[in-house]
Amino acid sequence: MGRARSGDIEVAGSEGTPAPGAGTRLTVEIERAEALRLLAAAPFGRIVFTHDALPAVRPVNHVIGADGSIVFCTRLSAGLVPALGRSVIVAYQADDIDPVRRTGWSVLAIGPAHAIAAGELAAEYARRLGTWDDPAGALFGMEPTLVSGTRVIEGGAV
Amino acid sequence: MGRARSGDIEVAGSEGTPAPGAGTRLTVEIERAEALRLLAAAPFGRIVFTHDALPAVRPVNHVIGADGSIVFCTRLSAGLVPALGRSVIVAYQADDIDPVRRTGWSVLAIGPAHAIAAGELAAEYARRLGTWDDPAGALFGMEPTLVSGTRVIEGGAV
């Protein structure tokens, strides 16, 4: 946080101290393993899909299945209406951005999502997800086939 | 969290008081005017577009132009490469979600984006946006043709 230098408190932004958010920023790529770790630890993310030929984005929470799939719950009316056994390509995005410091990360997974049939596994996922949005929602599992991410960090020189 | 009861303060979650996040949630639609107000006040949002036939999501900050357009800065390499004068349909999303209470809102705007040519207006937008991500980025303005939003609120009965 800034350069608190003390007599008492010298807040970031006082003379000679760069304000939070000032200075150059570097964008660096995040590799797959780290991107998946960040995604798993994120409290929620966003399903990105096509609905009536238009882009749609829906925030939901998620858990990671034993097979590495990203599991979330949403209403079938959301446009994710593959018949059981069929799958549809969706994207799942999460980020953690500090708009004051202008740093943070963003991760995007792309892959096929399929409805999870009722059963023991579905019940466990539903329990781990907890109630969210619509209790009438349906469970989906998404295979993170393509995973990419970027991190914006503070640059060296200011 | 949990059920701290104690003589002094009875926090949410103590007996008879639902824990944060418990109980039903209602999803209500946000009308266009309010959705645009929420978007304008959000500290950042996400451009959703198609890149090499795959979905892409990029967090950026934004300002609202005098004509109501959503103005943001991103690298041309982001896939938003219309020749000046041409436009491309993109989506812009912002949300504010409380993952503990499981409430919040999400807004999505869809419309044509076009590069903003260098000039007085571009300089003003760049100043208002400040430095973010890549100083080598290019300015885009997006007309919010379609605007939708949803809010998740706590339901009545628990």
Side-chain angles (χ1 to χ4, degrees):
Chain A
M1 304 277 139
R3 310 194 176 182
R5 204 183 312 176
S6 109
D8 276 53
I9 301 172
E10 189 172 88
V11 299
S14 62
E15 200 165 330
T17 307
T24 56
R25 291 293 175 277
L26 298 175
T27 301
V28 293
E29 278 190 33
I30 300 174
E31 61 172 22
R32 179 184 172 94
E34 190 191 352
L36 288 172
R37 271 196 300 274
L38 289 167
L39 193 59
F44 68 98
R46 298 161 195 89
I47 321 165
V48 179
F49 58 102
T50 301
H51 190 204
D52 291 344
L54 289 173
V57 180
R58 180 173 288 247
V60 291
N61 64 330
H62 59 270
V63 296
I64 305 299
D67 60 354
S69 61
I70 301 165
V71 178
F72 51 82
C73 180
T74 189
R75 281 181 291 173
L76 286 169
S77 66
L80 292 172
V81 283
L84 225 60
R86 283 183 55 217
S87 67
V88 59
I89 300 293
V90 302
Y92 196 81
Q93 188 265 356
D95 57 41
D96 186 10
I97 305 286
D98 182 333
V100 174
R101 297 206 71 82
R102 296 169 175 271
T103 55
W105 58 262
S106 176
V107 164
L108 185 72
I110 301 174
H114 61 273
I116 298 176
E120 219 170 281
L121 192 60
E124 189 208 319
Y125 286 145
R127 184 187 54 73
R128 287 173 59 199
L129 284 166
T131 310
W132 175 264
D133 193 2
D134 189 341
L139 279 175
F140 288 84
M142 175 201 165
E143 186 190 335
T145 309
L146 298 173
V147 179
S148 60
T150 53
R151 191 187 288 278
V152 178
I153 58 174
E154 298 186 39
V158 175
Chain B
M1 311 295 139
R3 312 193 169 193
R5 190 149 358 155
S6 105
D8 274 62
I9 302 172
E10 188 169 274
V11 299
S14 63
E15 200 165 328
T17 308
T24 56
R25 291 293 176 274
L26 297 174
T27 301
V28 293
E29 278 190 32
I30 300 174
E31 61 171 24
R32 179 183 172 93
E34 189 190 353
L36 287 172
R37 270 196 300 274
L38 289 167
L39 193 59
F44 68 99
R46 298 162 195 89
I47 320 167
V48 179
F49 57 104
T50 301
H51 191 204
D52 291 344
L54 289 173
V57 179
R58 182 175 286 248
V60 292
N61 65 330
H62 59 269
V63 295
I64 305 299
D67 60 353
S69 61
I70 301 165
V71 178
F72 52 84
C73 180
T74 189
R75 282 180 292 173
L76 286 169
S77 65
L80 291 172
V81 282
L84 224 60
R86 282 183 55 218
S87 66
V88 59
I89 300 292
V90 302
Y92 196 80
Q93 190 265 355
D95 56 41
D96 186 10
I97 305 286
D98 181 333
V100 175
R101 297 207 71 83
R102 295 169 176 268
T103 54
W105 57 263
S106 176
V107 164
L108 185 72
I110 301 174
H114 61 274
I116 298 175
E120 220 171 280
L121 192 60
E124 189 208 317
Y125 286 145
R127 184 186 53 74
R128 287 172 59 198
L129 283 166
T131 309
W132 177 264
D133 193 2
D134 190 340
L139 279 174
F140 288 85
M142 176 202 164
E143 185 189 334
T145 309
L146 299 173
V147 180
S148 60
T150 53
R151 191 186 289 277
V152 178
I153 58 175
E154 298 186 38
V158 175

